[in-house]
Amino acid sequence: VQLVESGGGLVQAGGSLRLSCAASRLITSVFWTFTTGWYRQAPGMQRELVATITSDGTTNYADSVKDRFTIFRDNSRKTVKLQMNNLKAEDTAVYYCNLQPRNGVGDTYWGQGTQVTVSS
């Protein structure tokens, strides 16, 4: 399984970015069995959950991003995206795409990360 992220960059506080992640080397029927998500890691900090979404559309968000970020996925295209609005300086981090088995059994996969920098 390969996860390729795109969409990071530099933006001013209050701006928006959309991150995209495409899964390859994975057939669609298997993609359905994964929970997809975005995590982030700021310098000197532990990696933390941003948002997750299951194949049936159930979402989970970190409190710090609720009402600002939206996660959505396209099962047929095997993609997951993160729309980030009203960005804040504290959102600055490397963002990682993640696939983890919904039933908790099997391997977890990570993308290479994409940098998001919010200037205040």
Side-chain angles (χ1 to χ4, degrees), residues 4 7-8 24 29 34 37 53 58 61 89 96-97 99-100 110 112:
V4 178
S24 61
S29 59
F34 284 91
I53 184 168
T58 302
Y61 293 93
Y96 296 91
C97 179
L99 262 62
Q100 55 186 291
W110 294 93
Q112 81 283 359

Side-chain angles (χ1 to χ4, degrees), residues 14 33 44 52 54 75:
T33 68
T52 62
T54 63
N75 290 317

Side-chain angles (χ1 to χ4, degrees), residues 46-65:
Q46 289 189 334
R47 192 171 297 188
E48 63 177 5
L49 169 74
V50 176
T52 62
I53 184 168
T54 63
S55 56
D56 63 2
T58 302
T59 58
N60 179 47
Y61 293 93
D63 288 342
S64 60
V65 306

